[in-house]
Amino acid sequence: MTDTAATRPDQTALGIVIILASVLTMAFSDAVVKLVSADLTVWQVFIGRSVVAIPIMLALAFLTRGGLRPRALIWTLIRSILLVLTWLAFYAALPVLSLSVAAVAVYTNPIITALLSAMLLGEPVTGRQWGGVLLGFLGVVAILKPGTDAFSWFTVLPLMAAAFYSLAMVLTRGKCRHEAPVTLALVLHGAFLVTGLAATALLALAGLDAETRAAFPFLFGDWMPMGLSGWGVMALLGALSAAYFLGVARAYQIAAPPVIATFDYAYLVSAALWGFVFFAETPDVLTICGMILITAAGLLVATPARRKG
């Protein structure tokens, strides 16, 4: 996966700015999804959000006169499948876990991303960068508090999401670096739409019993009617999703994955913020310490090394 990874100079500063704005946007979007998870199914979110986001993508492609056909269709589709699995696993955990705990679990992905980048892309990862990733991991441990109720089996879902996300981002760097971000986002939302429609049809045909549907309504519940307010929420989620996926695709295209992955940690601070606003989730002392460690890790990884002489 090294054929296209190093043909353009990196734009690290711009990539960091883009990823910070993107994660703030997505944390807000995830808080909204958690808020509506008691009333809608995940498949409705996939469908409704994509119905709004796809026209936005098409309009952007028209305005920028960019081609819609991916240069590497197969890799783009694989990337989209990995990201659909990422958000499916993460959203499935939201009705059960607090937003901050789910966020911390999924943000073990920078460690996986750094490792995969070194193994598959040949990206140089310095000792200081590895130290930054380790520091970020210690921050994650401080927030998760091993041995507490945070380590229920539901925590496995965002951990799976972390693995899928890391694979997708390394693939973005290695095989989709020259794709237009709007093309990547459009294909992804197409995958979300197809997945939502297919799952809705399968559930209708499966005829699950009422007990199963009641136990996991966000995954197996019936399609709930959406009025004007429901579609308004979908419009908001679609716009936020379009902005996020465009930003993430661009950030990982123009800067090294270990650097962008570390600044991806800013999602944790954003998730804590929106968790407090929406659900009155107040971070404790260990959580705050963990976030400080994560911020320090980001600065450690992104600061350029001094040249001798």
Side-chain angles (χ1 to χ4, degrees), residues 32-286:
V32 174
V33 171
K34 180 175 174 63
L35 196 64
V36 302
S37 63
D39 303 316
L40 303 175
T41 68
V42 65
W43 316 115
Q44 284 181 269
V45 173
F46 278 9
I47 294 170
R49 186 177 64 180
S50 297
V51 164
V52 175
I54 288 174
I56 295 175
M57 298 294 99
L58 292 173
L60 286 175
F62 176 77
L63 291 174
T64 58
R65 297 181 180 180
L68 295 178
R69 183 178 177 83
R71 297 183 182 183
L73 178 60
I74 299 300
W75 290 116
T76 303
L77 289 174
I78 294 173
R79 174 187 182 273
S80 297
I81 292 170
L82 288 170
L83 287 175
V84 167
L85 292 173
T86 296
W87 261 266
L88 178 57
F90 183 66
Y91 284 168
L94 285 185
V96 180
L97 301 178
S98 70
L99 183 60
S100 57
V101 169
V104 170
V106 80
Y107 268 76
T108 54
N109 81 79
I111 302 167
I112 305 171
T113 301
L115 179 61
L116 291 177
S117 296
M119 292 174 57
L120 302 179
L121 300 181
E123 293 280 356
V125 184
T126 66
R128 184 175 60 182
Q129 287 176 321
W130 279 117
V133 172
L134 176 60
L135 195 62
F137 176 74
L138 293 177
V140 170
V141 172
I143 297 173
L144 272 183
K145 305 176 192 66
T148 68
D149 292 339
F151 278 104
S152 69
W153 72 269
F154 287 102
T155 311
V156 174
L157 291 172
L159 290 174
M160 290 171 57
F164 290 134
Y165 185 82
S166 294
L167 285 170
M169 292 306 101
V170 172
L171 186 59
T172 300
R173 174 76 166 178
K175 292 296 185 180
C176 303
R177 189 176 183 182
H178 299 292
E179 302 288 353
V182 67
T183 302
L184 294 176
L186 181 61
V187 174
L188 175 58
H189 279 289
F192 276 125
L193 180 60
V194 170
T195 302
L197 291 172
T200 300
L202 287 174
L203 287 174
L205 294 173
L208 298 178
D209 58 85
E211 184 178 352
T212 301
R213 294 199 304 270
F216 303 99
F218 194 44
L219 287 175
F220 303 131
D222 294 325
W223 182 282
M224 301 299 293
M226 292 191 295
L228 184 61
S229 61
W231 280 108
V233 171
M234 291 301 106
L236 174 63
L237 290 175
L240 293 175
S241 180
Y244 171 75
F245 287 119
L246 280 172
V248 168
R250 188 58 180 159
Y252 276 92
Q253 283 178 326
I254 66 177
V259 175
I260 298 302
T262 302
F263 274 88
D264 238 336
Y265 275 130
Y267 178 93
L268 299 180
V269 180
S270 301
L273 170 65
W274 299 124
F276 174 76
V277 171
F278 281 94
F279 312 106
E281 297 173 359
T282 305
D284 56 21
V285 174
L286 270 180

